[in-house]
Amino acid sequence: MALFRISYVRSSSFRLKIPALSTLQLSTVSSADLFYGHLQKNIGNVEKTLATVKTKLDSGCVNQVLHKCSFELSQMGLRFFIWAGRQPNYRHSSFMYSRACEMIGIHGRPGLLFNVIEDYRREGCLVDIRIFKIMLNLCKEAKLAKEALSILGKMPEFHLRADTTMYNLVIRLFTEKGEMDMAMELMKEMDSVDIHPNMITYISLLKGFCDVGRWEDAYGVFEAMKEKGCEPNTVVYSVLLNAASRHGTMEKLMEVLEEMEKHGGTRGPNTVTYTSIIQRLCELGQPQEALKILDRMEEYGCAPNRVTVSSLIKEFCKNGHVEEAYKLIDRVVARGGASYGDCYSSLVVSLVKMKKIAEAEELFRNMLANGVKPDGVACTLVIKELCLEERVLDGFNLCNEVDRNGYLSSIDSDVYSLLLVGLCEHDHSVDAAKLARLMLKKGIRLKPYYAESIIKHLKKFGDQELVMNLGGIRNDKQN
DNA sequence: ATAGGGTTAG
């Protein structure tokens, strides 16, 4: 089979570290090479030649091309990334944006962005608003506020106008750096060119001013938005309430909350609003006050969720009042806001964090015994903790227990490698082989960091077939 | 867009 032949060419060290290559990845190798080939030639308007590569673009392919370019063709890599982002039926995910930033090295060399703009101009490429949007999103990932602003400034040269979302992105970058004067200036600029700030613009500014403690200015934004006919909503009030809880007085906060409750509708408090108050009260060491807010929340008809419950549970555990946590869980579940699975998982996590491992483990086992499904964090943390305590067999058994209950999907894939390396190092060859087979069956990859050690041990155990399979290579005579 | 345990494979 052609697909397998490709894998033979790989060097043996690479083969051991990258297990279970899917056919999808193998089949995109050649299209990434094709793209890269065109980029290397570096003839003008490379986008035209890229378009001749007839292949379905996917994130794996984009990733590979960027990787190839990352050694000495960063600028071409950037140009490819921008081109790819404009193709129909493909959109860069935010993960791809952050990968691209890393591989292109935008952070260290933001000048590449401007070089590419110059290339487009020189080569007479068609430059549209989407190119600028992709560049701005790269700036967002790399947290480059000044560069984003410069890119915005380049648009008129191509007879393009930024829209509200583009301004919002740049404003957000400045507010996150606490550069509020620049953010304000940008909002004023929007007004002057007749691009209207929206709710998101105002909320960014409001939050920014609150974060740096400029209350007067925050209030100014609040007034300004009303003047412009943008009525403050639940989110706006929640931001203000959050600020009041961090810097202001609790009395003022309660006044605002009351106002929100009376007004209701688009301004009525929601789960996030109440949860942030409960969190603050917990941080202040006032769990009883926090419980009163919980009552109030339910009276208003707002259901607490896992975030609400977990902040209370955390506080109870911190004070050693685990019984209170159990009482709270029964109550919340009875009202239908969150499930036992969610709540007990939060409790397990809190107990592990408090280093009450025995209690966490007991609860976790009780959950399994009673058909309550633990979430991913709880499973992962408990098993990791057991590995850390050199109780790798217990960890493995627990993993099997989770599997038997059909909750396998809630274990983080990294945990398997951790367990496997532990079993190997403790010479539990039978269990190691069992776990390795389970991983193969489930298609779980070896974590590269542990792969070499695991394969070394499995070889020592004499299970050649398993080694080959885990290495992602079929045990073939030609090999 | 406002809260938040640890994150997918790229």
PDB file of all heavy atoms in Angstrom, chain A residues 426-441:
ATOM      1  N   HIS A 426       8.267   0.140  36.754  1.00  0.00           N
ATOM      2  CA  HIS A 426       8.146  -0.766  37.887  1.00  0.00           C
ATOM      3  C   HIS A 426       8.094  -2.235  37.456  1.00  0.00           C
ATOM      4  O   HIS A 426       7.729  -3.103  38.241  1.00  0.00           O
ATOM      5  CB  HIS A 426       6.914  -0.411  38.729  1.00  0.00           C
ATOM      6  CG  HIS A 426       7.074   0.871  39.499  1.00  0.00           C
ATOM      7  ND1 HIS A 426       6.841   2.101  38.933  1.00  0.00           N
ATOM      8  CD2 HIS A 426       7.478   1.109  40.770  1.00  0.00           C
ATOM      9  CE1 HIS A 426       7.074   3.037  39.823  1.00  0.00           C
ATOM     10  NE2 HIS A 426       7.471   2.473  40.952  1.00  0.00           N
ATOM     11  N   ASP A 427       8.428  -2.456  36.183  1.00  0.00           N
ATOM     12  CA  ASP A 427       8.491  -3.812  35.627  1.00  0.00           C
ATOM     13  C   ASP A 427       7.192  -4.600  35.713  1.00  0.00           C
ATOM     14  O   ASP A 427       7.206  -5.827  35.858  1.00  0.00           O
ATOM     15  CB  ASP A 427       9.626  -4.605  36.305  1.00  0.00           C
ATOM     16  CG  ASP A 427      10.985  -4.180  35.770  1.00  0.00           C
ATOM     17  OD1 ASP A 427      11.047  -3.819  34.564  1.00  0.00           O
ATOM     18  OD2 ASP A 427      11.965  -4.180  36.538  1.00  0.00           O
ATOM     19  N   HIS A 428       6.062  -3.911  35.661  1.00  0.00           N
ATOM     20  CA  HIS A 428       4.775  -4.622  35.594  1.00  0.00           C
ATOM     21  C   HIS A 428       4.489  -4.928  34.128  1.00  0.00           C
ATOM     22  O   HIS A 428       3.625  -4.301  33.514  1.00  0.00           O
ATOM     23  CB  HIS A 428       3.654  -3.765  36.185  1.00  0.00           C
ATOM     24  CG  HIS A 428       3.851  -3.442  37.624  1.00  0.00           C
ATOM     25  ND1 HIS A 428       3.965  -4.406  38.600  1.00  0.00           N
ATOM     26  CD2 HIS A 428       3.956  -2.248  38.269  1.00  0.00           C
ATOM     27  CE1 HIS A 428       4.123  -3.825  39.780  1.00  0.00           C
ATOM     28  NE2 HIS A 428       4.128  -2.515  39.606  1.00  0.00           N
ATOM     29  N   SER A 429       5.242  -5.899  33.595  1.00  0.00           N
ATOM     30  CA  SER A 429       5.196  -6.082  32.143  1.00  0.00           C
ATOM     31  C   SER A 429       3.826  -6.526  31.636  1.00  0.00           C
ATOM     32  O   SER A 429       3.386  -6.103  30.573  1.00  0.00           O
ATOM     33  CB  SER A 429       6.274  -7.079  31.722  1.00  0.00           C
ATOM     34  OG  SER A 429       6.036  -8.315  32.356  1.00  0.00           O
ATOM     35  N   VAL A 430       3.135  -7.362  32.411  1.00  0.00           N
ATOM     36  CA  VAL A 430       1.833  -7.856  31.958  1.00  0.00           C
ATOM     37  C   VAL A 430       0.828  -6.720  31.880  1.00  0.00           C
ATOM     38  O   VAL A 430       0.116  -6.552  30.871  1.00  0.00           O
ATOM     39  CB  VAL A 430       1.315  -8.976  32.897  1.00  0.00           C
ATOM     40  CG1 VAL A 430      -0.077  -9.421  32.449  1.00  0.00           C
ATOM     41  CG2 VAL A 430       2.274 -10.157  32.892  1.00  0.00           C
ATOM     42  N   ASP A 431       0.781  -5.916  32.950  1.00  0.00           N
ATOM     43  CA  ASP A 431      -0.153  -4.790  32.962  1.00  0.00           C
ATOM     44  C   ASP A 431       0.224  -3.746  31.920  1.00  0.00           C
ATOM     45  O   ASP A 431      -0.648  -3.129  31.301  1.00  0.00           O
ATOM     46  CB  ASP A 431      -0.205  -4.162  34.354  1.00  0.00           C
ATOM     47  CG  ASP A 431      -0.990  -5.030  35.335  1.00  0.00           C
ATOM     48  OD1 ASP A 431      -1.940  -5.700  34.878  1.00  0.00           O
ATOM     49  OD2 ASP A 431      -0.647  -5.045  36.529  1.00  0.00           O
ATOM     50  N   ALA A 432       1.524  -3.543  31.759  1.00  0.00           N
ATOM     51  CA  ALA A 432       1.982  -2.571  30.755  1.00  0.00           C
ATOM     52  C   ALA A 432       1.475  -2.975  29.373  1.00  0.00           C
ATOM     53  O   ALA A 432       0.959  -2.148  28.618  1.00  0.00           O
ATOM     54  CB  ALA A 432       3.502  -2.478  30.761  1.00  0.00           C
ATOM     55  N   ALA A 433       1.605  -4.271  29.073  1.00  0.00           N
ATOM     56  CA  ALA A 433       1.146  -4.755  27.768  1.00  0.00           C
ATOM     57  C   ALA A 433      -0.369  -4.590  27.642  1.00  0.00           C
ATOM     58  O   ALA A 433      -0.887  -4.206  26.595  1.00  0.00           O
ATOM     59  CB  ALA A 433       1.542  -6.218  27.589  1.00  0.00           C
ATOM     60  N   LYS A 434      -1.064  -4.853  28.768  1.00  0.00           N
ATOM     61  CA  LYS A 434      -2.526  -4.725  28.759  1.00  0.00           C
ATOM     62  C   LYS A 434      -2.930  -3.276  28.456  1.00  0.00           C
ATOM     63  O   LYS A 434      -3.800  -3.016  27.625  1.00  0.00           O
ATOM     64  CB  LYS A 434      -3.074  -5.140  30.140  1.00  0.00           C
ATOM     65  CG  LYS A 434      -4.148  -6.221  30.074  1.00  0.00           C
ATOM     66  CD  LYS A 434      -4.847  -6.367  31.413  1.00  0.00           C
ATOM     67  CE  LYS A 434      -4.144  -7.364  32.325  1.00  0.00           C
ATOM     68  NZ  LYS A 434      -4.766  -7.458  33.660  1.00  0.00           N
ATOM     69  N   LEU A 435      -2.249  -2.371  29.147  1.00  0.00           N
ATOM     70  CA  LEU A 435      -2.569  -0.957  28.957  1.00  0.00           C
ATOM     71  C   LEU A 435      -2.217  -0.505  27.537  1.00  0.00           C
ATOM     72  O   LEU A 435      -2.980   0.220  26.902  1.00  0.00           O
ATOM     73  CB  LEU A 435      -1.821  -0.084  29.984  1.00  0.00           C
ATOM     74  CG  LEU A 435      -2.073   1.423  29.900  1.00  0.00           C
ATOM     75  CD1 LEU A 435      -3.552   1.758  30.064  1.00  0.00           C
ATOM     76  CD2 LEU A 435      -1.267   2.182  30.947  1.00  0.00           C
ATOM     77  N   ALA A 436      -1.062  -0.965  27.059  1.00  0.00           N
ATOM     78  CA  ALA A 436      -0.645  -0.586  25.704  1.00  0.00           C
ATOM     79  C   ALA A 436      -1.686  -1.043  24.677  1.00  0.00           C
ATOM     80  O   ALA A 436      -2.009  -0.319  23.739  1.00  0.00           O
ATOM     81  CB  ALA A 436       0.715  -1.183  25.390  1.00  0.00           C
ATOM     82  N   ARG A 437      -2.220  -2.276  24.884  1.00  0.00           N
ATOM     83  CA  ARG A 437      -3.249  -2.778  23.956  1.00  0.00           C
ATOM     84  C   ARG A 437      -4.517  -1.946  24.032  1.00  0.00           C
ATOM     85  O   ARG A 437      -5.154  -1.671  23.017  1.00  0.00           O
ATOM     86  CB  ARG A 437      -3.558  -4.240  24.270  1.00  0.00           C
ATOM     87  CG  ARG A 437      -2.452  -5.149  23.813  1.00  0.00           C
ATOM     88  CD  ARG A 437      -2.916  -6.573  23.535  1.00  0.00           C
ATOM     89  NE  ARG A 437      -1.811  -7.275  22.899  1.00  0.00           N
ATOM     90  CZ  ARG A 437      -0.760  -7.757  23.559  1.00  0.00           C
ATOM     91  NH1 ARG A 437      -0.718  -7.648  24.858  1.00  0.00           N
ATOM     92  NH2 ARG A 437       0.230  -8.324  22.925  1.00  0.00           N
ATOM     93  N   LEU A 438      -4.872  -1.561  25.272  1.00  0.00           N
ATOM     94  CA  LEU A 438      -6.062  -0.714  25.450  1.00  0.00           C
ATOM     95  C   LEU A 438      -5.883   0.604  24.689  1.00  0.00           C
ATOM     96  O   LEU A 438      -6.784   1.075  24.000  1.00  0.00           O
ATOM     97  CB  LEU A 438      -6.276  -0.432  26.949  1.00  0.00           C
ATOM     98  CG  LEU A 438      -7.474   0.443  27.296  1.00  0.00           C
ATOM     99  CD1 LEU A 438      -8.774  -0.303  27.057  1.00  0.00           C
ATOM    100  CD2 LEU A 438      -7.413   0.908  28.746  1.00  0.00           C
ATOM    101  N   MET A 439      -4.668   1.147  24.807  1.00  0.00           N
ATOM    102  CA  MET A 439      -4.390   2.413  24.109  1.00  0.00           C
ATOM    103  C   MET A 439      -4.501   2.241  22.607  1.00  0.00           C
ATOM    104  O   MET A 439      -5.060   3.100  21.909  1.00  0.00           O
ATOM    105  CB  MET A 439      -2.995   2.930  24.486  1.00  0.00           C
ATOM    106  CG  MET A 439      -2.921   3.431  25.913  1.00  0.00           C
ATOM    107  SD  MET A 439      -1.242   3.812  26.434  1.00  0.00           S
ATOM    108  CE  MET A 439      -0.937   5.332  25.544  1.00  0.00           C
ATOM    109  N   LEU A 440      -3.960   1.135  22.108  1.00  0.00           N
ATOM    110  CA  LEU A 440      -4.043   0.872  20.673  1.00  0.00           C
ATOM    111  C   LEU A 440      -5.488   0.776  20.226  1.00  0.00           C
ATOM    112  O   LEU A 440      -5.894   1.338  19.217  1.00  0.00           O
ATOM    113  CB  LEU A 440      -3.315  -0.429  20.329  1.00  0.00           C
ATOM    114  CG  LEU A 440      -1.813  -0.319  20.121  1.00  0.00           C
ATOM    115  CD1 LEU A 440      -1.222  -1.693  19.922  1.00  0.00           C
ATOM    116  CD2 LEU A 440      -1.517   0.582  18.917  1.00  0.00           C
ATOM    117  N   LYS A 441      -6.273   0.036  21.044  1.00  0.00           N
ATOM    118  CA  LYS A 441      -7.682  -0.169  20.699  1.00  0.00           C
ATOM    119  C   LYS A 441      -8.422   1.160  20.648  1.00  0.00           C
ATOM    120  O   LYS A 441      -9.267   1.380  19.788  1.00  0.00           O
ATOM    121  CB  LYS A 441      -8.329  -1.101  21.730  1.00  0.00           C
ATOM    122  CG  LYS A 441      -9.620  -1.753  21.250  1.00  0.00           C
ATOM    123  CD  LYS A 441     -10.186  -2.727  22.277  1.00  0.00           C
ATOM    124  CE  LYS A 441     -11.017  -2.003  23.321  1.00  0.00           C
ATOM    125  NZ  LYS A 441     -11.443  -2.872  24.418  1.00  0.00           N
TER     126      LYS A 441
END
